[in-house]
């Protein structure tokens, strides 16, 4: 079971958030930015995945979250690297424990 949350992307040009087709940004940066995988303990079901995903999705700059209870891994895509303290606080708020980066 997995829960994935997609947040709307910034509107603007179809080419890039800055509105330029030639800003030099690579396709990876345009498609999502930074991907980080975290290890979270205590998730056992789809409800757990949803709770963790919802809280992490509330962090500014997060564009997608995918939590997998069976592995305890949470994959987060964000516009820029996230502060571990912000992710830890979101996971704590959901009622689980952030072990660290996977």
């Amino acid at each position: 079971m997995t829960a994935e949350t997609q947040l709307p992307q910034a509107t603007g040009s179809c080419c890039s958030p800055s509105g330029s087709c030639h800003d030099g940004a690579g396709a990876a940066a345009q498609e999502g930015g930074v991907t980080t995988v975290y290890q979270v303990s205590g998730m056992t079901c789809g409800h757990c995945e949803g709770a963790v995903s919802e809280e992490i999705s509330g962090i500014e700059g997060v564009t997608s979250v995918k939590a997998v209870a069976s592995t305890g891994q949470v994959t987060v895509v964000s516009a820029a690297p996230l502060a571990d303290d912000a992710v830890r606080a979101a996971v704590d708020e959901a009622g689980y424990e952030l072990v660290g980066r996977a």
Side-chain angles (χ1 to χ4, degrees), residues 3 5 40-59 65 67 74 85-98:
T5 304
V40 174
S41 68
M43 294 190 300
T44 59
C45 65
H47 173 76
C48 301
E49 293 169 329
V52 169
S53 295
E54 182 178 346
E55 290 297 330
I56 293 175
S57 293
I59 300 171
V65 180
V74 180
D85 288 343
V87 177
R88 184 173 312 281
V91 171
D92 287 347
E93 182 67 26
Y96 304 91
E97 180 183 354
L98 178 66

